[in-house]
Amino acid sequence: RASECVKQLLTAQPDLAEAHYLAGLIARQLKDRNTAIRAFGNATKLDPDHPAAHAHLAQIFMMAGQPNHGFNALKLAIRNENGDARVQNLIGNVYFRLGEQGAALEWYARAAANQPGNPGFLVDHANSLKFHGRREQANSEIRKALNLRADISQAHWILSSLNRANTDDHVVEMRSLASQTGLHPQEAAFLHYAMGKELEDLERWEEAFEAFRQGAQANRSVTEYDENSEIEMFRALENVYTEEWLEQKAPGLAD
């Protein structure tokens, strides 16, 4: 329905940047990457100072393995960023994917501070704090997120990785969440992996193995993987990057 509304809006006013931006958001939800890139690109052409559209483009390009386009969009997102927590969190996500963990933490912290009632921003901030070894702060942020919404699977997974389990109280809570109907496989994977870790802490090995098995099964169901394509890719690497190919290249740095 949202898509149909946006189509009507674009038909009536094709030069409306916000309509193209909304089309991009819908395309992302539908996992239509090419349409999303076109829509966000149109939004930035019509409104070159649109920070959210630039931030979404940066994230999509990075995910698509196009870092040059991603860096350009990221720079424009940062230049036009105007205190919107959603944009700040997106910038944090892009830096996180780039492995620039210091910058990621800075932007996640801004987003969480600007919208402390948004559990998703708190989860991202906690995950970044965990990466930096700031476990006490990460614990605090993740518990805030779970107080706001107790069913965030990734938050339970982070919490399990931050603390050694001494009781199975958290396992029981996660089992209850995992038993809900309509749970997305990625959410189920987070919960089962977290249960597996805590059951390992408790030395309940068979239960831990079963939890990890269920987590892997859930994760595999939504992982796009084509074994034949993978085999062909490695054959291509072997055929292209030969000794002869290497000898044609300029020498590297001796030091």
Side-chain angles (χ1 to χ4, degrees):
R1 288 180 63 192
S3 183
E4 287 302 316
C5 288
V6 168
K7 285 177 184 176
Q8 291 177 35
L9 188 57
L10 286 170
T11 300
Q13 195 171 344
D15 60 347
L16 186 62
E18 200 62 20
H20 289 280
Y21 174 69
L22 290 171
L25 292 180
I26 293 166
R28 290 207 69 175
Q29 286 290 320
L30 296 173
K31 302 188 186 307
D32 185 349
R33 181 185 293 167
N34 291 334
T35 299
I37 289 173
R38 283 197 303 272
F40 289 131
N42 288 335
T44 59
K45 286 175 186 173
L46 292 164
D47 180 3
D49 299 330
H50 199 302
H54 286 300
H56 277 287
L57 278 173
Q59 189 180 46
I60 294 171
F61 282 134
M62 291 300 179
M63 292 169 66
Q66 299 183 46
N68 289 339
H69 290 310
F71 275 119
N72 290 335
L74 179 62
K75 284 188 286 188
L76 291 167
I78 292 170
R79 189 178 75 188
N80 294 297
E81 186 268 321
N82 55 4
D84 187 328
R86 296 167 302 172
V87 175
Q88 293 168 339
N89 197 70
L90 275 170
I91 293 171
N93 283 337
V94 176
Y95 273 124
F96 196 87
R97 284 183 172 276
L98 286 170
E100 298 285 347
Q101 303 300 341
L105 179 59
E106 177 189 339
W107 286 97
Y108 282 143
R110 290 188 196 182
N114 283 340
Q115 271 194 27
N118 187 312
F121 295 167
L122 293 170
V123 169
D124 285 340
H125 188 211
N127 199 33
S128 188
L129 286 165
K130 184 188 80 164
F131 182 90
H132 285 83
R134 293 159 63 174
R135 301 174 71 85
E136 190 173 332
Q137 287 177 276
N139 255 308
S140 175
E141 289 292 88
I142 212 67
R143 292 187 187 280
K144 286 179 192 173
L146 287 169
N147 284 336
L148 289 165
R149 261 193 62 192
D151 63 343
I152 304 177
S153 302
Q154 187 184 4
H156 288 285
W157 175 70
I158 294 170
L159 187 63
S160 73
S161 69
L162 287 169
N163 304 285
R164 183 174 180 80
N166 297 312
T167 72
D168 68 353
D169 291 350
H170 191 209
V171 173
V172 170
E173 181 184 358
M174 289 189 289
R175 273 186 177 147
S176 176
L177 290 170
S179 68
Q180 294 177 2
T181 56
L183 193 67
H184 190 277
Q186 193 63 61
E187 294 178 284
F190 275 128
L191 289 169
H192 282 105
Y193 284 140
M195 283 189 274
K197 186 271 178 187
E198 294 198 13
L199 288 163
E200 271 195 338
D201 290 343
L202 299 168
E203 300 184 4
R204 289 159 57 175
W205 311 116
E206 291 186 9
E207 291 177 77
F209 187 92
E210 177 59 19
F212 285 133
R213 187 194 68 76
Q214 291 184 48
Q217 186 178 42
N219 202 31
R220 180 69 182 86
S221 71
V222 290
T223 301
E224 293 182 13
Y225 180 70
D226 184 334
E227 188 172 3
N228 289 329
S229 294
E230 191 88 350
I231 291 169
E232 290 194 18
M233 181 186 75
F234 279 100
R235 280 179 182 156
L237 291 172
E238 187 178 352
N239 291 333
V240 172
Y241 298 114
T242 60
E243 287 186 40
E244 292 75 22
W245 174 88
L246 186 61
E247 287 170 358
Q248 295 170 10
K249 302 302 170 184
L253 296 174
D255 60 355

